[in-house]
Amino acid sequence: MSFSRRIRISALVAVAFTLFSLSVACTQPNPATGEDDLILISTAAEVNIGMDVHNELVTKMRVSRKAVPNKRFQAIGERVARVNDRQDVTYRFTVLDEQYPNAFAAPGGYIYATTDLMNLTNDDELACVIAHEIGHVAARHGVKNLQTSLATQFLLVPCSTRTPTARS
């Protein structure tokens, strides 16, 4: 076994051991599921990530300026947010002026719905959609996906680098 291969294997073992240690030491109860989750990204960092996503999103999509849908989305969203399992973030509700029905959440409490979805739903249906999106935030799905993506990239870099071989 070559020296560089042994170093790569040693590095992967060290990373695996570190991740295992962190998974034991850094778990915290998930308010939405009641299970212990490995969360390495703080709530403050999650909110900052969400703010960055929001700032990027509003430059690429049209935000609705119409008072009625915005007030409706905000009012229903605030009612749902008050009774959800996660209260350590401030929920923000934004209506996007798009002609397809959709809703989604960004980390840190950012919730979005399109005007088309708003037009297709009554208040009860919209509350269900908002509750679903708030559930993603409460369960920290965005943070978990980010952690998984970062870990995968971190683990694949040592595996994908090859040392050049001499050709005769």
Side-chain angles (χ1 to χ4, degrees):
M1 183 181 307
S2 72
F3 179 71
S4 63
R5 182 170 165 84
R6 280 184 286 181
I7 287 181
R8 274 189 258 147
I9 290 172
S10 296
L12 286 174
V13 169
V15 167
F17 178 76
T18 302
L19 289 175
F20 175 76
S21 299
L22 286 172
S23 70
V24 173
C26 297
T27 59
Q28 54 185 286
N30 184 319
T33 65
E35 297 176 5
D36 285 339
D37 286 339
L38 173 64
I39 303 292
L40 302 174
I41 298 173
S42 70
T43 298
E46 177 186 1
V47 171
N48 286 336
I49 291 166
M51 188 184 322
D52 290 344
V53 169
H54 175 79
N55 291 338
E56 181 72 19
L57 189 103
V58 298
T59 65
K60 301 211 182 302
M61 300 180 85
R62 295 182 310 261
V63 175
S64 174
R65 303 288 178 219
K66 296 178 182 171
V68 172
N70 279 294
K71 286 181 183 176
R72 178 177 171 233
F73 192 49
Q74 186 72 34
I76 295 170
E78 286 174 358
R79 283 197 315 253
V80 173
R82 273 194 297 271
V83 297
N84 96 85
D85 295 320
R86 187 165 180 210
Q87 295 295 315
D88 63 336
V89 295
T90 300
Y91 292 90
R92 295 164 177 87
F93 303 93
T94 304
V95 178
L96 300 172
D97 192 16
E98 299 294 335
Q99 299 308 308
Y100 52 88
N102 196 16
F104 56 94
Y110 291 84
I111 311 295
Y112 304 89
T114 63
T115 51
D116 199 35
L117 177 75
M118 301 282 295
N119 293 334
L120 292 171
T121 56
N122 64 35
D123 287 357
D124 292 339
E125 293 165 335
L126 183 59
C128 288
V129 171
I130 292 170
H132 176 89
E133 298 308 329
I134 287 176
H136 287 300
V137 175
R140 300 188 81 178
H141 289 161
V143 169
K144 289 182 197 175
N145 290 340
L146 178 61
Q147 286 179 176
T148 300
S149 175
L150 292 173
T152 301
Q153 289 175 10
F154 182 73
L155 290 173
L156 289 180
V157 168
C159 295
S160 65
T161 56
R162 293 185 176 201
T163 53
T165 56
R167 294 185 182 199
S168 40

